[in-house]
Amino acid sequence: MISKPRVLVSRQVFDEVIDYLAEHCEVEANQDDIPFSVEQLTQRLEGKDALMCSLTDRLDTATLQRCTRLKVISNIAVGYNNIDVAACSAQGIKVTNTPGVLDDSTADLAFALMLSTARRVTEVEALIRQGQWTGWRLQQWLGVDVHHATLGIIGMGRIGQAIARRTLGFDMNVLYHNRNRVAPEIERKLGAAHCSFEDLLKRSDFVILQVPYSSHTHHLINAKALAMMKPGAILINSTRGGVVDDAALVHALEAGVIRAAGLDVFENEPKLHPGFLKLQNVVLTPHIGSSTETTRRAMAMCAATNMIAALNGQVPPNWVNPI
Ligand code: DGY
């Protein structure tokens, strides 16, 4: 009898995902969802053919070198900066991710952050709860308009484009900066104009970051970039911590270099730069960009499908390091 491949699922997933994997594999699953330390993860990977993991699992060269049997790493995320992909390729490990299924949910959250920061939703909500609303006044808690404003999107991939589609209902002007310019018909459909990074920062009322994290995008938004933004501008980061220099952003928000920020991701999350917690002009959410029931189920199932295809010797649908 041919033995089934042995797989490790490092964090809790939906039951239907475990059931699907169990049809094809011997599954060890961490349904208690207590994150493994690097050492625990390495030990559990001994003798495993595949790993289904999340962005909280770090798979660096040293760890990978100890996983001599591993053939597949299926990340339940579109971003895969938690994995040393070059080291995987060198070891013949296939890496997969979950693009596409989360574009709209992530774009929705970026929009939610933009609207909440512009209209000070969480700031005033806290004041109401503290009993500090004594009545309507004309000049009370004035925000800024999202409609007809200029939005700069840095990173015009699938999620960037989903954000741009949403601006059409708000009559916004859209600028974007991307390594490669998108096709003219997409620009036309989205009403989006390509410009340089510097130009985008100088002209935008809102800036949304949608680039993946890498050594090239590390601290893309630093003190110098923040100083280029309009004093009334609002920065939204719903992509990855580390794309923004959090210390520089705290300083910029304190000093009024920019008006406000909406942040779903942070350097060193779940730890936050303590400065953010003292500021009124920042809306904070805990990396929930893709977190809707439908989308998270779709991401986990997409990761399972990738894994089984790769284990069966097929080309996995979302293979990030064809080798
Ligand atoms: C992703 O898919 O990269 C998201 O950040 C996970 O929620």
Side-chain angles (χ1 to χ4, degrees):
M1 200 177 79
I2 304 167
S3 60
K4 287 180 172 180
R6 298 172 66 198
V7 307
L8 176 69
V9 182
S10 69
R11 299 294 304 268
Q12 186 180 38
V13 291
F14 300 96
D15 289 345
E16 70 264 21
V17 175
I18 300 287
D19 294 345
Y20 172 69
L21 292 177
E23 287 171 23
H24 305 268
C25 316
E26 257 182 58
V27 185
E28 181 179 325
N30 179 16
Q31 290 299 76
D32 291 337
D33 209 28
I34 299 165
F36 294 139
S37 65
V38 173
E39 192 48 40
Q40 287 167 329
L41 182 65
T42 314
Q43 279 172 13
R44 285 177 189 265
L45 280 173
E46 226 168 83
K48 299 291 189 307
D49 299 290
L51 167 69
M52 182 180 292
C53 61
S54 78
L55 51 89
T56 58
D57 300 301
R58 298 244 139 257
L59 289 143
D60 56 17
T61 316
T63 306
L64 290 162
Q65 276 170 353
R66 291 173 63 191
C67 305
T68 47
R69 185 170 162 154
L70 201 61
K71 298 183 203 61
V72 183
I73 298 179
S74 170
N75 210 34
I76 313 177
V78 64
Y80 46 85
N81 56 298
N82 54 311
I83 302 167
D84 185 334
V85 176
C88 287
S89 302
Q91 268 181 248
I93 299 172
K94 291 178 179 160
V95 179
T96 64
N97 69 340
T98 63
V101 290
L102 45 62
D103 299 348
D104 283 312
S105 301
T106 309
D108 284 352
L109 200 267
F111 235 83
L113 287 173
M114 181 162 65
L115 290 165
S116 333
T117 43
R119 302 304 300 272
R120 306 170 65 171
V121 171
T122 55
E123 179 190 348
V124 293
E125 204 259 358
L127 294 174
I128 285 195
R129 286 179 188 274
Q130 291 157 16
Q132 292 193 38
W133 187 33
T134 51
W136 188 93
R137 284 191 296 114
L138 188 66
Q139 295 184 45
Q140 200 170 40
W141 296 311
L142 303 175
V144 292
D145 286 325
V146 170
H147 66 84
H148 297 94
T150 296
L151 168 63
I153 303 174
I154 300 179
M156 200 53 139
R158 287 179 315 269
I159 301 174
Q161 290 180 31
I163 293 167
R165 279 197 298 279
R166 282 154 177 74
T167 65
L168 298 172
F170 284 76
D171 297 315
M172 298 183 86
N173 306 308
V174 179
L175 302 173
Y176 79 95
H177 179 71
N178 201 49
R179 240 179 340 182
N180 304 311
R181 207 169 155 168
V182 300
E185 59 272 22
I186 297 178
E187 285 188 354
R188 246 192 325 274
K189 213 163 111 191
L190 299 174
H194 184 261
C195 66
S196 71
F197 176 67
E198 289 76 13
D199 214 19
L200 181 145
L201 293 178
K202 286 180 192 154
R203 289 165 59 195
S204 300
D205 301 306
F206 297 89
V207 173
I208 296 187
L209 301 171
Q210 210 48 71
V211 284
Y213 177 79
S214 71
S215 54
H216 303 292
T217 58
H218 176 74
H219 287 187
L220 179 70
I221 300 296
N222 52 17
K224 188 173 162 214
L226 288 160
M228 276 186 237
M229 292 174 68
K230 291 182 183 180
I234 293 179
L235 177 72
I236 307 297
N237 187 8
S238 47
T239 183
R240 272 289 180 280
V243 175
V244 175
D245 176 343
D246 283 355
L249 178 57
V250 167
H251 182 261
L253 291 167
E254 282 168 352
V257 175
I258 63 169
R259 180 185 177 90
L263 306 171
D264 187 46
V265 287
F266 307 88
E267 286 191 289
N268 311 316
E269 59 186 52
K271 285 199 194 113
L272 259 63
H273 187 296
F276 287 133
L277 301 176
K278 298 189 195 127
L279 290 164
Q280 303 288 320
N281 54 343
V282 62
V283 174
L284 307 168
T285 53
H287 204 145
I288 54 163
S290 61
S291 188
T292 68
E293 170 98 29
T294 311
T295 295
R296 285 282 165 91
R297 279 186 193 277
M299 287 166 68
M301 203 38 113
C302 173
T305 313
N306 284 330
M307 179 190 266
I308 300 303
L311 285 172
N312 285 341
Q314 295 154 3
V315 174
N318 305 291
W319 190 4
V320 304
N321 63 336
I323 40 181

